[in-house]
Amino acid sequence: MKLWTKAVLTVAALSLAACTDPGGFGNDDDFGAGNGSDLGSSADPSSIAYFQEAVGDRVLFLVDQSTLSEQGRLVVLAQANWLMQNADYVAVIEGHADEQGTREYNLALGARRASAVQELLVSQGVASNRIRTVSYGKERPIEICSEESCYAQNRRAVTVLTANLSG
Amino acid sequence: MRLFATLVIGILTVGQFAQPVVAQGQPLRIEITDGVIEPMPYAVPDFVAETPGSNQVSKDISRVIAADLNGTGLFREIPAKAHISSITNFGSPVQFADWKAVNAQALITGGVSVSGNQLEVKFRVYDVFAGTELGSGLRFKGTTDGWRRMAHKVADAVYARITGEGGYFDSRVVYVAETGPKNNRKKRLAVMDYDGANLQYLTDSSSIVLAPRFSPTGDRVLYTSYETGFPQVYVLDVGSVRRKVLSNESGTMSFAPRFSPDGKSVVMSVTEGGNTDLYKMDIASGKRQRLTSTPSIETAPSYSPDGSKIVFESDRSGTQQLYVMSAGGGEATRISFGKGRYGTPVWSPRGDLIAFTKQNKGRFHIGVMRTDGSEERLLTASFLDEGPTWSPNGRVIMFTRETRGAGGAASLYSVDVSGRNLKPVKINGGGSDPAWSPLQ
């Protein structure tokens, strides 16, 4: 039918447009490397690469929990320490959930996890206006199997740094 | 895109041929509530092409009607090759004996004429065994572009006459079209006819989009987008595809929006400082009213059809459960008490049931319960089923089913509220978060 042909053509045109679209937020999201900030060398203690590798940019959570583990707490304390010494960076804390849960609940759960990290950072003296939080719920898993080994990695809060250009 | 703004419905003038006699014996009727096991056999011979050039569209219309009726699981078509009689003139008397002989209990006949871009479809439904017409003939007029909608209108009328309930075929579904692997999934809003035809994308895939919801008149869609980097609720005009952000306060997230039944306000979740509560927002003024104030998660709100109540999920008891409160907020009554966790409640358009997602022992279910939480029934079970949406007549539920593992993908399924007729909805690629429009 004529109508169908038209619909198919429209779809094709849109797909083409999507392919050439330079893309907005999320298109090249590699889950924690920051947007457009130079990672630098991990040998440089004030680099994002150092933060990710030596300090640790993420903490993991138990099923349906948003309380920091003792290990998680130590990582966030180290993050706070680093952020206090490297005032040129701002951070977005991304909260995530595994796939065992409904979409809306997982968004809210990811927000709790991100907030748990934010609160500890602020309590250690990091200025609250340097930290924002966002939840991706179950939308951005890093591990894709449907086993606890993957779920454990996906239940995370990642501190994503950006060089503060305005500062 | 309104394909069909000019639809005209007229009742055919009776008197072209013999007046129907009063039905004898059992009337032709499917009592859905009785638990139909055996689908009703019927015939829908190709509609008669009454003008040159209407041959193909006549056949196509008959096929869409058959697909609608067969898809319900309540009807079984007697295929054309089994017919021993044919309908070559819409006005001629029906040879009931020929249709009885092939065991067609119902017969649908029609005529189609095309003039320029104008299309006219008329039809009649017969109770073959009683030898009578069921209801009066109807005539639909519109443009040729809208031929599928006219076919759905005919099927809705047939469904309504035989079941005594409203139809749902002339409706649309908005959903999230998905492509790509689990760890790099691209999502975009798409709208289609309920049967998958006339697919149209409403956004590109540059930002994550979630859970679109139709307005009560089907002209607008609420959804959540990460366009700004943070999830916020948007409202989109389906015709123009223009969108505007509804709630964009720095430092907050908003999601899980749903229209009020009058279409003037939105109830949604807003997260601030890690805590998620329910808010109502007036669309015109942007004024926000807080409905819940607890340290727990309150989300997935849905209005009762009369607008007086809201059902939502909360983990205030320690696990996700369903609650009902007044639309203005205040005390909430817990209604879910079974084993497991309950989420994403949706009030049925009839007002009598609430559909939900249930998680128990590592499995997901779509279920329904009465609005006081009684008579819980689970309709599905799988690795991951979630996000039910009701057909406009409250008979069918569509939902997301996601498969397990590294290659896991999301698709749309539908199931009758009785639990029968579970089947995938034909879509192009992956899909999630369907929302059914009202009848158009």
Side-chain angles (χ1 to χ4, degrees):
Chain A
M1 287 310 296
K2 185 170 141 254
L3 193 68
W4 258 114
T5 316
K6 207 166 77 183
V8 170
L9 285 176
T10 313
V11 170
L14 281 168
S15 318
L16 203 63
C19 292
T20 53
D21 181 4
F25 190 93
N27 234 14
D28 316 306
D29 194 344
D30 55 359
F31 316 116
N35 290 320
S37 281
D38 190 355
L39 291 181
S41 158
S42 56
D44 171 5
S46 65
S47 70
I48 291 176
Y50 180 89
F51 179 83
Q52 288 174 351
E53 289 164 34
V55 178
D57 67 346
R58 66 195 57 201
V59 294
L60 304 180
F61 295 86
L62 295 174
V63 176
D64 201 18
Q65 295 298 312
S66 55
T67 308
L68 288 167
S69 65
E70 192 45 42
Q71 192 189 354
R73 214 180 117 75
L74 292 174
V75 170
V76 178
L77 291 176
Q79 289 180 357
N81 192 35
W82 190 92
L83 282 165
M84 296 296 281
Q85 289 169 22
N86 296 276
D88 290 346
Y89 291 95
V90 294
V92 174
I93 301 159
E94 300 178 349
H96 298 266
D98 66 32
E99 69 188 359
Q100 314 168 91
T102 50
R103 200 176 310 288
E104 294 84 352
Y105 183 82
N106 278 347
L107 278 175
L109 179 59
R112 273 183 179 163
R113 288 172 175 163
S115 184
V117 173
Q118 180 188 37
E119 280 171 18
L120 185 52
L121 290 175
V122 171
S123 76
Q124 296 303 301
V126 181
S128 59
N129 63 9
R130 292 177 64 198
I131 309 167
R132 295 189 69 179
T133 59
V134 63
S135 173
Y136 285 93
K138 59 176 173 177
E139 303 304 315
R140 287 287 180 254
I142 41 171
E143 299 295 338
I144 57 176
C145 74
S146 296
E147 310 293 339
E148 174 53 26
S149 59
C150 289
Y151 293 162
Q153 298 301 310
N154 290 335
R155 293 188 300 262
R156 68 200 191 276
V158 183
T159 303
V160 179
L161 299 178
T162 311
N164 187 6
L165 301 174
S166 62
Chain B
M1 183 173 58
R2 284 260 148 181
L3 282 175
F4 204 55
T6 56
L7 183 79
V8 175
I9 305 173
I11 293 178
L12 288 184
T13 47
V14 187
Q16 291 173 336
F17 54 93
Q19 293 272 353
V21 294
V22 176
Q24 289 148 8
Q26 286 288 87
L28 187 69
R29 174 54 67 97
I30 297 176
E31 294 291 348
I32 299 180
T33 45
D34 284 353
V36 180
I37 307 301
E38 201 51 48
M40 174 183 283
Y42 75 100
V44 53
D46 284 348
F47 279 18
V48 178
E50 299 191 327
T51 52
S54 61
N55 261 324
Q56 188 61 46
V57 73
S58 303
K59 285 187 173 63
D60 292 340
I61 286 173
S62 315
R63 288 302 85 210
V64 168
I65 295 167
D68 283 346
L69 295 175
N70 299 342
T72 63
L74 301 172
F75 297 87
R76 178 172 60 82
E77 189 189 10
I78 309 286
K81 63 178 189 295
H83 298 179
I84 55 176
S85 185
S86 61
I87 304 289
T88 51
N89 186 331
F90 179 67
S92 297
V94 168
Q95 304 301 313
F96 289 112
D98 291 349
W99 299 102
K100 242 185 244 182
V102 298
N103 193 33
Q105 290 184 34
L107 172 70
I108 304 158
T109 68
V112 177
S113 53
V114 174
S115 168
N117 72 343
Q118 293 298 302
L119 176 68
E120 184 179 311
V121 180
K122 52 191 178 181
F123 76 97
R124 294 183 190 277
V125 188
Y126 297 94
D127 178 340
V128 171
F129 284 75
T132 60
E133 189 178 354
L134 191 65
S136 316
L138 278 179
R139 185 198 311 268
F140 299 112
K141 286 181 184 175
T143 55
T144 47
D145 272 0
W147 70 271
R148 292 190 71 94
R149 279 205 61 194
M150 276 196 264
H152 291 315
K153 290 253 178 225
V154 173
D156 276 328
V158 172
Y159 178 96
R161 285 179 196 186
I162 296 179
T163 66
E165 301 191 358
Y168 60 90
F169 309 123
D170 185 24
S171 61
R172 300 212 280 175
V173 171
V174 62
Y175 70 100
V176 174
E178 300 195 0
T179 53
K182 257 168 119 172
N183 58 353
N184 191 18
R185 194 143 292 168
K186 303 296 185 197
K187 295 191 165 196
R188 59 199 304 204
L189 288 193
V191 64
M192 63 183 187
D193 296 352
Y194 99 100
D195 60 0
N198 293 322
L199 174 71
Q200 186 196 352
Y201 292 111
L202 301 174
T203 68
D204 65 22
S205 56
S206 57
S207 319
I208 301 171
V209 288
L210 304 172
R213 308 292 180 210
F214 268 114
S215 66
T217 47
D219 57 342
R220 290 167 298 158
V221 166
L222 287 168
Y223 66 104
T224 302
S225 171
Y226 281 71
E227 214 172 300
T228 63
F230 297 84
Q232 302 294 358
V233 170
Y234 289 74
V235 61
L236 176 140
D237 181 89
V238 181
S240 67
V241 201
R242 274 200 280 271
R243 66 190 189 280
K244 73 166 189 182
V245 69
L246 267 191
S247 174
N248 190 18
E249 271 187 50
S250 180
T252 70
M253 302 186 348
S254 60
F255 59 100
R258 222 178 261 275
F259 280 99
S260 61
D262 66 6
K264 290 179 181 161
S265 59
V266 176
V267 62
M268 60 179 141
S269 274
V270 175
T271 303
E272 204 166 358
N275 181 33
T276 302
D277 271 305
L278 298 180
Y279 287 75
K280 176 186 174 180
M281 178 182 270
D282 182 79
I283 296 175
S285 69
K287 230 182 89 183
R288 224 169 64 167
Q289 178 193 350
R290 188 170 187 156
L291 300 179
T292 64
S293 302
T294 66
S296 48
I297 289 171
E298 273 74 37
T299 189
S302 167
Y303 279 98
S304 60
D306 67 0
S308 69
K309 295 191 178 87
I310 292 171
V311 62
F312 62 98
E313 62 170 79
S314 168
D315 69 348
R316 59 183 67 174
S317 73
T319 61
Q320 251 178 305
Q321 299 294 339
L322 307 184
Y323 294 79
V324 172
M325 68 178 177
S326 156
E331 281 292 293
T333 308
R334 179 170 164 180
I335 60 165
S336 61
F337 292 97
K339 286 205 176 80
R341 302 163 58 164
Y342 294 77
T344 73
V346 192
W347 218 297
S348 87
R350 299 176 175 200
D352 57 342
L353 294 173
I354 287 166
F356 55 83
T357 305
K358 175 168 173 160
Q359 289 167 258
N360 192 28
K361 295 178 181 162
R363 301 278 284 173
F364 279 71
H365 309 268
I366 300 297
V368 294
M369 57 174 60
R370 299 199 66 81
T371 59
D372 62 1
S374 64
E375 296 179 41
E376 174 180 328
R377 287 187 290 122
L378 299 182
L379 309 179
T380 74
S382 93
F383 167 70
L384 209 175
D385 286 350
E386 70 171 308
T389 180
W390 290 93
S391 64
N393 69 349
R395 285 299 320 175
V396 182
I397 291 171
M398 205 179 281
F399 59 96
T400 306
R401 172 165 286 183
E402 188 138 3
T403 52
R404 187 186 173 89
S411 56
L412 307 185
Y413 272 72
S414 70
V415 66
D416 195 89
V417 72
S418 65
R420 282 187 294 271
N421 204 30
L422 173 71
K423 58 181 185 176
V425 178
K426 279 178 203 149
I427 54 170
N428 186 19
S432 60
D433 293 359
W436 220 312
S437 80
L439 211 54
Q440 299 191 81

